[in-house]
Amino acid sequence: MKQLKATFITLLLTVFALSAAAQMQDPVHFSVSQKKTAPDEIEVIFTAKIDAGWHVYSTGMPSGGPTSATIHTDATEGVKAVGSLTPRGNVITKYDNMFGMNLRFFENRATFVQKYKITAKTYHVKGYLEYGACNDEMCMPPTQVEFDFKGQGPADAPEAAEEEAKEDTAGVAAADSAATDSMAAAVPANVDTTGLWTPVIDELQAMNGSQGSGDHSWIYIFFMGFVGGLVALFTPCVWPIIPMTVSFFLKRSKDKKKGIRDAITYGISIVVIYLVLGLAITLILGASALNALSTNAVFNIFFCLLLVVFALSFFGWFELTLPSSWTNKVDNKASSTSGLLSIFLMAFTLTLVSFSCTGPIIGFLLVEVSTSGNIVGPAVGMLGFAIALALPFTLFALFPTWLKQAPKSGGWMNTIKIVLGFIELAFALKFFSVADLAYGWGLLDREVFLALWIVIFGALGLYLIGKLKFKSDGDTNEAMPVPCIMLGLISLAFAIYMVPGLWGAPCKAVSAFAPPMNTQDFNLYHNEVKPRFTNYEQAMAAAAAEGKPVMIDFTGFGCVNCRKMEAAVWTDPQVADKLNNDFVLVSLYVDDKTPLDKPMEVVENGKKRTLRTIGDKWSYLQRNKFGANAQPFYVIIDAKGKPLAGSYSYDEDITKYMDFMNKGLENFGK
């Protein structure tokens, strides 16, 4: 017991530690080595291990694209570069719809090699590799991997030129002299720099609290599975079985307590069966595959087709059934055994018999949680589903009189199946959209997506008010129940709500599902927000003069999701009004290649680093002051550099973004 308790506490502490570090991303792990390929030639080899879901861009990216892998040499003595940086490994080439160009990148592993020819008896080469990395939600700032190698050349080679050595020494000395000015070099003289660069990581984490854990937290996934289980209960394959099964357990034994105990065991068996299914999927796919599913176009196409098949099944075109031999074998086995095994096999029989109704719901659930990237998502989702499915068997066994009050089987269960079919069809488009953006087909632009959703939810509304019939509904002309009519009106209203989106209206209720605004071909809506500053110190000086808080937008020219936030969130009239009037908005581009007037040396994690570009400077500011390094990243501070609210990352929920801004303004007012 003590060992179990200690294990639980250790696990809990680990979760807290991971949560605290969630803002800092470290998806790429580089190692550097040198290899002597000939007496007068060496190779500097950069080898990267890339986390699942991330990719590193290759060399020679087109202008206006993401950060290319490039090598920079600070000092050379006795060597000369041969050719350019060479990528090695499995290069993936895809058309990126957001950048509008073909991009080359690596997944899982990447290798870059730079050759040098040795021209002296001793050599020294020092520099750094710069690369860019992204996943489907964020991009890392341009990151540097430094190297410094010395060695012996051929015995008959000349001595290193004295002029070369002097030149290198003079260059290093000049850099050291320039670096002594550190961050203050780029700060205007009239700005009070006290606190502007002081780290506020602890304060920011305290303000964030449990925020930033993402929509797909364990609680969310469990709740989603639980709702799916409740829906499955009211299908024609499950609901009629409940009273028969409970009555069987209560009548099979004269001892009422034993009957109740058997019914509860039956419910627990259902939970175990579905939980094992979720765990099996987790173990088979593994963490890397689950993370990759959210960005892999092939899997998203597969999921789209799968949901379409499920939808057509619910519409009554065909029925998804497992081989009858499976059910018969399990049923015969349950009859020939006794005790707990018999009850477990009966639960397994229910699972097989009800597959035609529960299969599409389980499939939809697993598709959604699998693409969330949460490694335990399938298991947690199936646990919620199973508990909801097993709940009535247990409750009706404990309170048999409730069975008399339970609604009888009827046509209403077919209505539920049809409604689920429409919903699965709508969500199939979401997964096709991911594949469409990945391959750059341009088949499902925003207005096409909205047009299809308008048709789907319009048809759903017509069905619920009785104006659209399916074959499975029969020839009845009975009026639809009042709850169905009310839901039908809501569905029709939702379809009408999306109509202005065909001309560019934000339609914020569907912004999380629809393609980004920049895929809209015909857009009459123009409410773009442009930052007043792209320099941190200048923005802070303006904030002090105007008495306003500062909204810092850590972004990048190659950051796709930064553009999505600007198009889907910043265009909202309320958001735009606050950004333009209540804040001093500054956008800091971490991939800005403009050289600093003077390189700056900083100490980070006990190591000296040289900041050479404006992007380096803003990236260091984000890491050092706010403890984050992924974009987009938003933080609200006062003129002294103190945070006023928690940070905000990629999330197109406009309500959440408004709450984030309002909290910052409220604390600033205090």
Side-chain angles (χ1 to χ4, degrees):
M1 187 67 180
K2 290 183 178 179
Q3 185 178 2
L4 181 63
K5 187 176 181 181
T7 303
F8 176 76
I9 293 174
T10 302
L11 180 62
L12 197 61
L13 291 174
T14 303
V15 170
F16 282 133
L18 290 173
S19 300
Q23 295 287 358
M24 287 296 289
Q25 301 283 343
D26 187 20
V28 184
H29 315 279
F30 262 101
S31 60
V32 191
S33 62
Q34 67 168 331
K35 179 181 179 182
K36 207 163 190 177
T37 55
D40 62 345
E41 187 178 82
I42 62 168
E43 289 182 344
V44 177
I45 304 171
F46 304 88
T47 305
K49 291 183 178 180
I50 308 169
D51 289 355
W54 288 83
H55 52 263
V56 170
Y57 293 103
S58 186
T59 57
M61 291 293 100
S63 176
T67 302
S68 302
T70 53
I71 193 166
H72 303 266
T73 305
D74 293 335
T76 59
E77 181 180 345
V79 295
K80 289 184 178 179
V82 178
S84 57
L85 185 69
T86 304
R88 294 179 183 174
N90 182 25
V91 181
I92 300 171
T93 302
K94 283 186 180 179
Y95 183 85
D96 191 295
N97 192 59
M98 299 302 298
F99 286 108
M101 61 183 72
N102 283 313
L103 298 179
R104 292 172 289 108
F105 56 86
F106 295 89
E107 293 180 346
N108 301 320
R109 294 185 67 86
T111 302
F112 299 96
V113 178
Q114 177 63 57
K115 290 185 178 181
Y116 291 93
K117 186 173 182 63
I118 304 173
T119 59
K121 286 185 178 180
T122 60
Y123 67 86
H124 176 210
V125 58
K126 179 182 179 182
Y128 63 95
L129 170 77
E130 187 174 55
Y131 69 91
C134 292
N135 66 6
D136 69 317
E137 291 189 356
M138 62 186 69
C139 287
M140 304 294 294
T143 309
Q144 299 172 1
V145 182
E146 298 186 356
F147 65 93
D148 188 353
F149 294 117
K150 299 178 181 179
Q152 299 293 323
D156 58 349
E159 297 288 344
E162 292 182 5
E163 293 81 4
E164 183 183 26
K166 289 179 181 178
E167 182 181 348
D168 290 340
T169 305
V172 173
D176 288 341
S177 175
T180 56
D181 208 8
S182 188
M183 290 301 171
V187 182
N190 62 337
V191 176
D192 179 12
T193 60
T194 305
L196 295 191
W197 289 81
T198 303
V200 292
I201 299 172
D202 293 339
E203 296 96 314
L204 203 60
Q205 288 181 353
M207 290 180 174
N208 279 332
S210 60
Q211 296 176 9
S213 60
D215 289 337
H216 294 289
S217 63
W218 290 359
I219 296 177
Y220 169 81
I221 294 174
F222 178 85
F223 177 75
M224 186 176 174
F226 190 83
V227 172
L230 291 179
V231 172
L233 281 175
F234 297 100
T235 57
C237 312
V238 178
W239 186 258
I241 300 176
I242 296 175
M244 291 188 297
T245 306
V246 173
S247 299
F248 169 77
F249 281 119
L250 293 178
K251 293 177 180 178
R252 67 179 285 182
S253 175
K254 295 180 180 180
D255 185 355
K256 184 179 179 181
K257 290 184 178 179
K258 186 177 184 301
I260 293 175
R261 186 171 65 249
D262 288 348
I264 293 174
T265 305
Y266 182 75
I268 295 174
S269 298
I270 295 174
V271 174
V272 171
I273 290 169
Y274 283 106
L275 181 59
V276 169
L277 175 61
L279 289 172
I281 292 173
T282 297
L283 293 174
I284 292 171
L285 293 178
S288 59
L290 286 175
N291 287 323
L293 292 184
S294 60
T295 57
N296 188 287
V298 175
F299 275 107
N300 277 280
I301 294 172
F302 172 75
F303 289 152
C304 169
L305 295 175
L306 187 67
L307 292 181
V308 170
V309 170
F310 287 157
L312 296 178
S313 172
F314 274 155
F315 288 155
W317 192 0
F318 52 84
E319 187 173 345
L320 292 172
T321 56
L322 294 173
S324 58
S325 58
W326 293 10
T327 306
N328 293 334
K329 287 180 181 179
V330 175
D331 193 32
N332 293 334
K333 192 69 176 176
S335 302
S336 61
T337 58
S338 59
L340 294 178
L341 180 60
S342 172
I343 297 173
F344 181 82
L345 290 174
M346 287 182 65
F348 197 54
T349 303
L350 168 71
T351 304
L352 298 178
V353 170
S354 63
F355 176 78
S356 59
C357 291
T358 59
I361 300 173
I362 294 171
F364 175 75
L365 171 67
L366 293 178
V367 164
E368 182 66 18
V369 301
S370 294
T371 54
S372 73
N374 192 319
I375 179 60
V376 296
V380 174
M382 294 303 289
L383 177 63
F385 181 90
I387 290 176
L389 198 64
L391 202 57
F393 292 97
T394 304
L395 291 177
F396 287 142
L398 293 174
F399 308 101
T401 55
W402 289 5
L403 279 172
K404 298 178 181 179
Q405 302 173 4
K408 305 299 181 182
S409 302
W412 58 271
M413 291 185 294
N414 181 70
T415 302
I416 291 178
K417 284 183 64 178
I418 299 297
V419 171
L420 288 175
F422 278 110
I423 293 174
E424 298 217 351
L425 198 60
F427 274 91
L429 293 175
K430 170 193 171 186
F431 293 102
F432 183 81
S433 174
V434 174
D436 182 64
L437 290 171
Y439 283 117
W441 297 330
L443 299 175
L444 200 64
D445 291 345
R446 186 172 181 271
E447 62 266 46
V448 177
F449 180 95
L450 290 177
L452 291 172
W453 265 38
I454 289 169
V455 172
I456 290 172
F457 284 97
L460 173 60
L462 292 175
Y463 174 76
L464 288 172
I465 65 175
K467 298 299 181 181
L468 181 65
K469 294 289 185 180
F470 283 79
K471 185 177 180 180
S472 57
D473 292 320
D475 298 327
T476 178
N477 292 319
E478 293 182 6
M480 297 295 283
V482 173
C484 287
I485 295 176
M486 297 303 295
L487 290 175
L489 294 176
I490 292 173
S491 184
L492 289 171
F494 181 60
I496 295 172
Y497 161 81
M498 290 186 285
V499 170
L502 299 176
W503 293 274
C507 294
K508 56 186 180 181
V510 298
S511 61
F513 304 100
M517 186 75 76
N518 58 6
T519 64
Q520 185 100 12
D521 294 327
F522 184 63
N523 190 353
L524 298 178
Y525 186 83
H526 298 285
N527 191 25
E528 297 180 358
V529 175
K530 295 183 178 179
R532 288 176 56 190
F533 298 97
T534 56
N535 180 283
Y536 175 58
E537 289 84 4
Q538 292 176 2
M540 298 302 287
E546 299 173 18
K548 291 182 178 180
V550 178
M551 169 75 79
I552 302 181
D553 163 33
F554 285 101
T555 183
F557 296 115
C559 175
V560 173
N561 277 348
C562 300
R563 303 295 85 79
K564 288 183 180 181
M565 288 292 292
E566 293 161 11
V569 179
W570 283 12
T571 54
D572 179 80
Q574 295 183 69
V575 173
D577 180 67
K578 287 187 179 295
L579 288 176
N580 289 326
N581 300 315
D582 298 340
F583 293 95
V584 173
L585 178 62
V586 54
S587 290
L588 303 180
Y589 289 84
V590 299
D591 53 0
D592 190 336
K593 298 300 182 184
T594 306
L596 292 170
D597 293 337
K598 296 179 181 179
M600 297 182 292
E601 277 196 359
V602 297
V603 177
E604 188 174 16
N605 298 325
K607 296 181 180 179
K608 281 188 177 182
R609 293 189 70 249
T610 302
L611 309 181
R612 300 173 176 86
T613 66
I614 290 177
D616 289 345
K617 180 181 176 182
W618 303 145
S619 179
Y620 173 75
L621 171 67
Q622 185 184 3
R623 295 192 309 272
N624 180 68
K625 185 174 179 69
F626 302 109
N629 63 350
Q631 293 78 46
F633 184 82
Y634 307 95
V635 63
I636 302 173
I637 61 175
D638 61 20
K640 295 181 180 179
K642 296 294 184 182
L644 297 171
S647 60
Y648 195 96
S649 299
Y650 174 68
D651 188 340
E652 295 183 29
D653 190 319
I654 295 176
T655 302
K656 290 182 181 178
Y657 200 81
M658 285 291 296
D659 291 342
F660 164 66
M661 292 192 298
N662 288 332
K663 185 176 181 180
L665 291 172
E666 180 184 348
N667 290 334
F668 181 76
K670 295 178 181 179

